[in-house]
């Protein structure tokens, strides 16, 4: 019998590693016939939300974004997504961005479909319109070498435009690939591992991580990662961007 008190999950002041063995299901109004795990939320000190949805028979994910925008990324499986007047079939690797103030509806799921979501209260920038609804496919997004290292490839899923105050990227590390320096910055991160494994350094503490694990990093949490094993390590992550720091 396994000892149920053992876990790799850690929640600290400025970072967290949340592993699937500790997931507890939540009820979200309008999100029916599915398992919803709220992985990152303001209650832990974050300024973003991140959930993992696992569809069951007759699953429907519907609501209105109101003040917070939502990014849906299909990890595996299939569904149909509607936002504004657009309706698209989505499968693994495809995504939908819904800006603040819009209705959305995801339905016609195959059972077991998994979707990760990122949420952020939108901060409008004077002189710029709200972003539009966006549907996309990660397979069609270029992945150039990160800082000139071909072992690291970064895909930017949302437009690099000042109307956006959040970014969602996919970072791929070949086995043995690693960040070239310890990052220390104002951006906050929420991420989910899609493939592979490695070791993440967060605030000078070292954590083994693998597919299915999620990480929260607060602003100025120092961070570094190296991929290990025999396959690339891949994660999708959120960060806040393009807004003037309020205390300057």
């Amino acid at each position: 019998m396994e000892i149920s008190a053992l876990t790799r999950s850690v929640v600290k002041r400025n970072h967290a590693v949340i592993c699937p063995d500790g997931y507890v299901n939540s009820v979200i109004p309008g999100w029916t016939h599915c398992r919803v795990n709220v992985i990152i939320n303001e209650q832990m000190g974050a300024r973003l939300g991140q959930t993992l949805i696992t569809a069951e028979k007759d699953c429907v994910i519907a609501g209105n974004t109101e003040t917070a925008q939502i990014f849906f990324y299909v990890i595996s499986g299939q569904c149909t997504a509607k936002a504004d007047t657009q309706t698209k079939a989505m499968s693994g690797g495809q995504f939908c961005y819904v800006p603040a103030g819009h209705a959305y509806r995801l339905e016609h799921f195959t059972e077991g479909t998994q979707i990760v979501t990122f949420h952020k209260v939108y901060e409008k920038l004077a002189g710029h319109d709200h972003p539009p609804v966006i549907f996309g496919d990660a397979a069609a997004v270029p992945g150039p070498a990160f800082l000139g290292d071909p072992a690291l490839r970064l895909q930017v899923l949302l437009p690099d435009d000042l109307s956006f105050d959040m970014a969602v990227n996919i970072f791929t590390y070949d086995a043995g690939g690693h960040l070239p320096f310890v990052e220390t910055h104002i951006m906050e991160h929420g991420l989910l591992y899609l493939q592979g494994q490695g070791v993440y350094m967060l605030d000078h503490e070292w954590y083994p991580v693998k597919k299915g694990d999620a990480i929260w990093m607060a602003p100025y949490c120092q961070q570094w990662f190296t991929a290990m094993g025999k396959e690339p390590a891949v994660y999708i992550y959120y960060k806040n961007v393009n807004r003037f720091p309020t205390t300057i």
Side-chain angles (χ1 to χ4, degrees), residues 69-134:
Q69 59 209 306
I70 304 180
F71 185 97
F72 296 95
Y73 178 86
V74 181
I75 300 169
S76 62
Q78 295 178 325
C79 68
T80 299
K82 180 177 181 179
D84 272 350
T85 59
Q86 300 183 59
T87 301
K88 303 282 187 181
M90 296 204 305
S91 57
Q94 297 181 319
F95 56 88
C96 175
Y97 167 80
V98 184
H102 289 71
Y104 62 87
R105 184 178 181 89
L106 282 68
E107 57 188 348
H108 306 308
F109 285 85
T110 56
E111 287 188 63
T113 293
Q114 284 201 311
I115 292 178
V116 61
T117 72
F118 298 102
H119 312 240
K120 181 187 182 297
V121 173
Y122 182 66
E123 302 169 68
K124 190 176 186 305
L125 184 63
H128 293 267
D129 294 332
H130 281 65
V133 170
I134 293 176

Side-chain angles (χ1 to χ4, degrees), residues 53-244:
I53 302 167
T54 304
E56 299 171 347
K57 188 176 184 295
D58 299 323
C59 175
V60 173
I61 307 296
N64 291 280
T65 52
E66 298 182 359
T67 61
Q69 59 209 306
I70 304 180
F71 185 97
F72 296 95
Y73 178 86
V74 181
I75 300 169
S76 62
Q78 295 178 325
C79 68
T80 299
K82 180 177 181 179
D84 272 350
T85 59
Q86 300 183 59
T87 301
K88 303 282 187 181
M90 296 204 305
S91 57
Q94 297 181 319
F95 56 88
C96 175
Y97 167 80
V98 184
H102 289 71
Y104 62 87
R105 184 178 181 89
L106 282 68
E107 57 188 348
H108 306 308
F109 285 85
T110 56
E111 287 188 63
T113 293
Q114 284 201 311
I115 292 178
V116 61
T117 72
F118 298 102
H119 312 240
K120 181 187 182 297
V121 173
Y122 182 66
E123 302 169 68
K124 190 176 186 305
L125 184 63
H128 293 267
D129 294 332
H130 281 65
V133 170
I134 293 176
F135 285 89
D137 188 341
V141 177
F146 180 69
L147 296 181
D149 186 346
L152 312 178
R153 295 176 296 283
L154 185 67
Q155 295 173 278
V156 177
L157 304 186
L158 290 176
D160 183 13
D161 184 290
L162 286 177
S163 65
F164 288 87
D165 67 345
M166 66 179 281
V168 179
N169 304 332
I170 294 177
F171 213 154
T172 299
Y173 298 70
D174 288 341
H178 57 81
L179 288 174
F181 58 92
V182 175
E183 295 187 0
T184 307
H185 56 62
I186 191 172
M187 285 84 76
E188 182 179 26
H189 289 324
L191 66 83
L192 181 72
Y193 273 84
L194 304 176
Q195 177 182 307
Q197 61 183 342
V199 173
Y200 228 114
M201 188 278 284
L202 301 169
D203 198 24
H204 296 277
E205 299 193 48
W206 301 83
Y207 301 100
V209 290
K210 64 179 182 178
K211 179 181 177 180
D213 292 346
I215 295 178
W216 167 60
M217 291 174 253
Y220 295 106
C221 174
Q222 291 182 293
Q223 57 199 253
W224 180 87
F225 176 71
T226 185
M228 302 177 69
K230 297 183 178 180
E231 65 175 343
V234 183
Y235 58 76
I236 185 170
Y237 73 100
Y238 152 100
K239 67 177 179 179
N240 52 311
V241 295
N242 295 338
R243 293 298 180 266
F244 200 85

